[in-house]
Amino acid sequence: MYFLFAILFYGVIGIQFTFPLRSKELKCFGEIIGQNSLVVGSVSANSSQFSLKIHVPQKKNDNILQYAHSLELHKFSFTTNNTQENYQFCIHNLANAGISFNFTLATGMDAQDFSLVAQKEDLKPIEIHLKKLNGLINSVEQEQKEIEERQATRFSNVSKISYKIIIFSVVTLILMTLTNIVQARQLKNFFKQKKLI
């Protein structure tokens, strides 16, 4: 069962797709990437008139990791920092005509090249596969920890919001009750003055 889950999870890590961009169009893709994760990718096009910007959008400033301009094939790689962030990959078509782009992104175990490890340590194919599985298990454990941290943060936020909603509801109920009491007294006094009661 775990082996099947590991294989399914392993297949989801790599992303590859093709998309068109019209003249002077900009398109950005976002990906939440875990802590201390290797990221390898490439952008290729049938023209060299495009730019690639990889950045981490933050509230106060944009932290630009890489910026490339006018390359037919641009490969990039970096290791994420100690916090989980939403990384954005923006591709800008600078040509006067539409261009088709091929975007590839691999993170975690999918981004690692085990052929160099196999050559250095003289490993057999089964040993390479075991190393991959071991790394995959470690990345799944790390991802599970990050999911638990996100879940705890969201639960805390939901608890705070629900507490505020309860307080708002109680205050609204008290105000409505006071308003009804005041209206009832005013109506009673009005009817007494008109001698209808």
Side-chain angles (χ1 to χ4, degrees):
M1 178 68 178
Y2 290 113
F3 182 70
L4 179 63
F5 174 75
I7 288 175
L8 290 175
F9 184 78
Y10 181 72
V12 174
I13 297 174
I15 300 170
Q16 180 175 5
F17 56 93
T18 302
F19 61 96
L21 280 182
R22 293 186 302 268
S23 175
K24 309 297 182 196
E25 186 179 6
L26 171 72
K27 189 169 278 191
C28 293
F29 306 99
E31 180 73 20
I32 296 176
I33 301 174
Q35 302 173 355
N36 300 322
S37 185
L38 176 64
V39 178
V40 176
S42 67
V43 177
S44 61
N46 53 2
S47 171
S48 63
Q49 295 182 343
F50 72 92
S51 67
L52 168 69
K53 181 170 83 166
I54 303 170
H55 62 113
V56 182
Q58 295 174 341
K59 292 179 182 175
K60 295 185 179 179
N61 60 351
D62 254 359
N63 184 9
I64 296 176
L65 296 174
Q66 291 186 12
Y67 182 79
H69 183 69
S70 296
L71 297 169
E72 286 186 20
L73 171 66
H74 179 70
K75 292 184 178 183
F76 56 88
S77 66
F78 59 92
T79 302
T80 59
N81 54 14
N82 290 332
T83 60
Q84 185 172 10
E85 297 285 350
N86 182 17
Y87 290 82
Q88 284 194 347
F89 305 89
C90 296
I91 299 160
H92 190 189
N93 181 3
L94 302 173
N96 291 327
I99 299 176
S100 180
F101 290 91
N102 185 20
F103 183 80
T104 305
L105 181 69
T107 61
M109 291 302 300
D110 202 25
Q112 292 183 4
D113 185 14
F114 281 94
S115 62
L116 297 176
V117 175
Q119 289 174 356
K120 283 183 184 177
E121 299 178 14
D122 193 33
L123 298 177
K124 296 175 185 170
I126 190 74
E127 292 173 329
I128 295 170
H129 189 68
L130 286 174
K131 276 198 173 281
K132 286 181 183 179
L133 287 177
N134 188 27
L136 183 61
I137 290 170
N138 291 338
S139 67
V140 168
E141 288 175 351
Q142 181 66 29
E143 183 73 21
Q144 184 178 6
K145 288 178 187 176
E146 292 170 5
I147 289 171
E148 289 172 357
E149 289 172 6
R150 281 193 309 245
Q151 184 178 3
T153 302
R154 288 180 182 153
F155 180 76
S156 173
N157 291 340
V158 166
S159 296
K160 289 176 186 177
I161 290 171
S162 64
Y163 177 74
K164 291 176 182 179
I165 290 173
I166 290 171
I167 295 297
F168 178 75
S169 300
V170 169
V171 169
T172 303
L173 185 64
I174 291 170
L175 287 174
M176 288 175 59
T177 306
L178 290 175
T179 303
N180 285 337
I181 292 171
V182 169
Q183 284 180 343
R185 285 190 178 182
Q186 287 181 347
L187 281 173
K188 193 174 182 181
N189 290 337
F190 175 75
F191 288 136
K192 280 185 182 179
Q193 287 177 354
K194 297 292 183 178
K195 296 184 182 178
L196 296 174
I197 298 182

